[in-house]
Amino acid sequence: MARVGCGVFAGFRVLGQFSGHVPHVLRYHGRHREFYLATAVGRSVHTYNVKKLGIVAVSNALPQDITCLAADRMLIFASYDNVLHAFARNKEVVHTYEGHKARIHLLQPFGDHVISVDVDNVLIVWDTQSEEQYLEVGFDKATFAVSAVLHPSTYLNKILLGSEQGSLQLWNIRSNKLLYSFPGWHFAVTALEQAPAVDVVAVGLVSGHIIIHNIKFDETLMKFQQDWGPITAISFRTDGHPVMAAGSPIGHIALWDLEEKKLMCQMQDAHSTAIAGMSFVPGEPLLITNGADNAIQVWIFDGPGGTGRVLRSRMGHSAPPTKIRYHGHNGEQILSAGQDGTLQSFSTVHEKFNKSLGRGSINKKKSKKKGLKLDTMALPPITVFASEVAHQSDWDGIVACHQGYITCTTWNYQKTSMGAHKLKPEEFSKHKPIDIYATAVDITSCGNFAVIGLSTGQVDVYNMQSGIHRGHYGEERAHEGAIRGVAVDGLNQLTITAGSEGLIKFWKFKTKDLVYSTDLPCVPSGILLHRDSGILGIAFDDFSISVLDIETRKIVRTFSGHHGRINDMTFSPDGRWLITSSMDCSIKTWDLPSGCLIDCFLVDSAAVSLTMSPTGDFLASAHVDDLGIYLWSNRSLYSLVSLRPLSADYVPSMVARPTTCPVEDVDVAGDEETCDEMIEYVSPEQLGLQLVTLSSLPESRWKNLLSLDIIKKKNKPREPPKVPKSAPFFIPTVSGLIPHYVTPREENDTQSKVVSLGVLAQKSDFFIHLEEALRTNEYTAPLNLLKSLGPSNIEIELRCLAPEGGGSTEVMLSFLRMIGMMLNKKYNFELAQAYLALFLKGRLVDSQVICLRYVLGI
């Protein structure tokens, strides 16, 4: 049984994906007077503005990954397999061109047409508006396998084709004629680029040669060679400097001076992979490059020597991330360690806040001299890390373990670089041990200490500020087997360690004494502590999960249901949920108070790491063979979500991972197939005949009925100051031997202005309903009316029931019968108590008489 649309988490967006192996496209928007950059990322096209390199649009996703990209003044063309699509307004597909029998690998916009070439050597010219084929030309692979295409500037209706055999051909598309064939240079053509001069093109060859050739006279003007392999991209500077840039498969860029016909400078390690695309911004000293290393770079040439520096960049991991964790308490930064050896920070707010903390190195100075490719001092990729924001501005706040390496490194988030300390035991300070490495790490909540576990079972404590070793747990080692996890509680009182021999131990953090040790049902694979609640999650090698209370040191929950190795766990901020991911491609949410599974969904690639936002709004996941970090929104914060336990026969559904564009969650309340759990529960008026049922009214409607007089006194405004009476000009005196002044007489203004209405008072609706109830004995209408009134109106209504308020004893008796009916039926119980107490207040004698009559039934 599968539920539709009832999941706790919904896909929101992906972070850290910027570029792929497809060359980018540079466009100029005439109305905006701005250049835009389009890159293919997976199945979508991302559009950035060159001015700030901020993303402005994300296209709708195509069925498969984009393999080729091109653009003209109005449209962006993207192809996958043998299908070509045209995007308008950088968003929606407006045209689809189908006709190729093989995968398209070359695209060239051509006025009102677009040219596509597939791997079977078939060239098709499409009409962009009618989607019809204007021309189809087939070439023989043995003699002319098309490898590059270019429309020479000012050459009307003509295109230049390059081949794997090295020859070039100039075709007239309108007449479908071969105008001229260039013999070539006996090496495959990999790139064709129009030079700023008319009739001149640059030809890049697989041998590393660059030929500047005049196609009008079939004459070679210049010839350059670079030793880095085939030419992957060529671009010319157009701001008055005769410079040509050429890309290579190993990420280097060469800048050639066309006037002096020599190499001007090199930009080594511009990308860690091949340069996929390269283009100078027309009229500006800016060079834009992208590569398969998931990076976009904007270089500016404003320094001496003609070399460029990075002006703006957007880069993510060039290899899949292995561990992600939220950093800080605001939920805006995610730290990510990847297989490329880098530690990066991704912002959930805006890409401009992303940071790269760099790559771990044994000696940073030597690594910088040798370069990226020849660096022998680079550390292996980070496997586990821990971070803390306390004191991160004073010293390093991140500590990390490296794959198969005993030394742990510290990192500084504020300086965005590797820290000053390298933490390893003193006995290994002079030599590097074999087969001994760090397996687990944790940092205290104060940011002062790091606890590191080794594969030998040793657990050491280091000071983060000085890097000094501060002791170890156990006489020689803490465990007999390898350390599978370490954790420190929030008050630095306990250190918890788990070993591969199946023991979990509790140690005094300060004295390093063993407090408690217990056997686990299976070998643990990892632990995770929720410091605020003192709950420890333990993952086992048999794919089960246990939850241990560190106060009682007992296992309080055990969960089973995964069918693969558990990769990671994360707690919700309040500690109520435990979310786990496994190699069975499932992500499950366990409710700790009820001990049940409340949510489960499948993804197409297993999640290797999970982390929950400190604010509880997002769940972040990293997946196998994927460069992105995926955000899943917590739907329980903004919509009605069922948190009931899933049935035993529940079949999880496959959920598509989100794209770069934020996804608006679709409300499933209007769907025809709405699950039963999503129907809002409506409480009945009476739960049971033998049960006392309370009303659903808020406490403010009945709780303060007896305190209204006190509230009115507190809220009574202060009296304004009285104007003193003016003294008479002649003070009156009493005649006599000794004159006395006459004391002024006080005017008596205390006469009450309240008029007793008596019989003049009009009967209220509640009064009328009670009178009718005397005849019909039906008290539902007056009760509903009383429930709809506020506290002040209820007091007025009950006061008016008395004879001095315009009522009568019969109506008061009718009110008591209504209260008796409520008590007999056992519903609205608290309202009956409150109404009766207010009714009896201040009417002791009269109410006794009426109650006596009610009891005697008179």
Side-chain angles (χ1 to χ4, degrees), residues 440-732:
V441 68
D442 195 15
I443 188 171
T444 57
S445 58
C446 60
N448 288 310
F449 299 98
V451 182
I452 300 172
L454 304 180
S455 58
T456 58
Q458 186 174 343
V459 179
D460 298 282
V461 181
Y462 298 87
N463 186 282
M464 288 293 293
Q465 182 180 6
S466 62
I468 299 176
H469 185 264
R470 292 300 186 187
H472 62 273
Y473 294 94
E475 294 182 1
E476 294 183 358
R477 51 183 180 174
H479 289 266
E480 295 297 327
I483 302 299
R484 295 293 179 89
V486 295
V488 183
D489 68 348
L491 300 176
N492 291 3
Q493 298 296 315
L494 286 176
T495 299
I496 307 164
T497 60
S500 60
E501 77 279 7
L503 288 177
I504 187 165
K505 296 183 179 181
F506 294 81
W507 310 81
K508 283 287 186 181
F509 176 79
K510 188 174 182 180
T511 63
K512 313 295 189 298
D513 297 330
L514 180 63
V515 177
Y516 182 76
S517 177
T518 183
D519 290 324
L520 295 173
C522 184
V523 178
S525 61
I527 64 174
L528 179 68
L529 177 65
H530 187 263
R531 285 175 173 167
D532 294 339
S533 62
I535 295 296
L536 182 72
I538 309 172
F540 295 101
D541 285 346
D542 63 352
F543 315 145
S544 63
I545 305 129
S546 292
V547 178
L548 185 142
D549 186 356
I550 66 173
E551 294 293 333
T552 61
R553 303 187 181 99
K554 293 182 180 180
I555 292 179
V556 294
R557 294 287 186 272
T558 299
F559 304 115
S560 61
H562 283 294
H563 303 289
R565 180 173 64 87
I566 296 173
N567 293 328
D568 204 1
M569 303 179 292
T570 184
F571 283 99
S572 61
D574 56 3
R576 292 182 61 90
W577 294 349
L578 176 63
I579 305 155
T580 59
S581 65
S582 170
M583 288 304 293
D584 59 7
C585 297
S586 65
I587 297 177
K588 296 189 176 185
T589 304
W590 311 87
D591 186 65
L592 298 185
S594 64
C596 298
L597 177 67
I598 60 172
D599 186 63
C600 176
F601 64 93
L602 299 176
V603 287
D604 55 357
S605 180
V608 296
S609 187
L610 291 176
T611 180
M612 188 78 174
S613 169
T615 55
D617 48 359
F618 290 113
L619 171 71
S621 64
H623 297 261
V624 174
D625 293 334
D626 198 289
L627 303 180
I629 297 174
Y630 294 86
L631 294 182
W632 309 82
S633 61
N634 184 1
R635 298 181 64 246
S636 65
L637 298 180
Y638 58 85
S639 64
L640 182 64
V641 176
S642 170
L643 299 179
R644 293 185 179 182
L646 300 182
S647 59
D649 58 345
Y650 174 72
V651 178
S653 58
M654 182 70 68
V655 177
R657 284 178 287 171
T659 59
T660 304
C661 186
V663 178
E664 294 184 3
D665 190 22
V666 179
D667 188 9
V668 299
D671 295 345
E672 295 181 359
E673 298 181 2
T674 304
C675 57
D676 296 336
E677 291 88 343
M678 293 297 295
I679 300 176
E680 186 175 359
Y681 177 76
V682 179
S683 178
E685 188 73 18
Q686 179 71 14
L687 294 178
L689 297 178
Q690 303 300 325
L691 298 177
V692 172
T693 306
L694 304 180
S695 68
S696 59
L697 293 180
E699 290 186 350
S700 59
R701 301 283 288 274
W702 57 269
K703 195 171 184 178
N704 298 321
L705 286 176
L706 296 179
S707 306
L708 286 177
D709 51 349
I710 300 175
I711 296 174
K712 288 180 179 179
K713 285 183 180 179
K714 289 183 178 180
N715 296 337
K716 185 178 180 181
R718 295 181 180 179
E719 294 183 0
K722 294 182 179 180
V723 180
K725 294 182 179 180
S726 57
F729 185 77
F730 296 103
I731 299 177

Side-chain angles (χ1 to χ4, degrees), residues 26-63:
L26 188 63
R27 308 173 66 201
Y28 180 74
H29 197 289
R31 190 174 61 183
H32 295 173
R33 296 184 179 180
E34 190 174 359
F35 286 97
Y36 289 94
L37 172 72
T39 62
V41 179
R43 299 182 299 161
S44 301
V45 178
H46 294 186
T47 303
Y48 300 85
N49 54 8
V50 175
K51 183 184 297 183
K52 295 184 178 180
L53 211 58
I55 190 165
V56 295
V58 177
S59 72
N60 297 331
L62 297 179

Side-chain angles (χ1 to χ4, degrees), residues 147-148 188-193 202-205 231-234:
S147 59
V189 177
T190 58
L192 289 174
E193 182 67 23
V203 183
L205 304 180
I231 305 300
T232 58
I234 301 174

Side-chain angles (χ1 to χ4, degrees), residues 127-193:
D127 187 289
T128 55
Q129 296 300 322
S130 65
E131 303 178 7
E132 296 178 353
Q133 292 186 14
Y134 177 80
L135 178 65
E136 180 175 340
V137 181
F139 296 89
D140 186 7
K141 269 190 173 183
T143 58
F144 194 85
V146 180
S147 59
V149 59
L150 172 70
H151 170 51
S153 180
T154 70
Y155 279 57
L156 189 63
N157 300 326
K158 299 173 183 65
I159 61 170
L160 182 66
L161 302 177
S163 68
E164 295 179 0
Q165 288 75 20
S167 59
L168 303 177
Q169 292 184 2
L170 185 65
W171 283 76
N172 188 313
I173 295 300
R174 186 168 185 177
S175 61
N176 190 16
K177 288 183 180 181
L178 174 62
L179 301 180
Y180 190 78
S181 181
F182 302 87
W185 299 268
H186 308 291
F187 291 103
V189 177
T190 58
L192 289 174
E193 182 67 23

Side-chain angles (χ1 to χ4, degrees), residues 14-18 292-294 315-326 334-346 355 381-385 401 403 565 567-568 581 583 605-611 620-631 657:
V14 63
L15 305 176
Q17 287 189 346
F18 302 102
D293 59 346
N294 195 21
M315 62 176 62
H317 285 292
S318 59
T322 56
K323 181 68 71 173
I324 58 173
R325 287 292 181 265
Y326 268 95
I334 299 177
L335 285 175
S336 172
Q339 295 177 8
D340 55 358
T342 62
L343 182 64
Q344 301 196 28
S345 173
F346 295 98
K355 296 181 180 181
I382 295 173
T383 55
V384 183
F385 68 88
C401 297
Q403 182 178 352
R565 180 173 64 87
N567 293 328
D568 204 1
S581 65
M583 288 304 293
S605 180
V608 296
S609 187
L610 291 176
T611 180
S621 64
H623 297 261
V624 174
D625 293 334
D626 198 289
L627 303 180
I629 297 174
Y630 294 86
L631 294 182
R657 284 178 287 171

Side-chain angles (χ1 to χ4, degrees), residues 287-313:
L287 175 66
I288 302 174
T289 61
N290 79 298
D293 59 346
N294 195 21
I296 303 172
Q297 310 261 24
V298 178
W299 308 81
I300 185 170
F301 297 87
D302 56 354
T307 186
R309 62 179 179 88
V310 177
L311 178 65
R312 286 178 288 270
S313 66

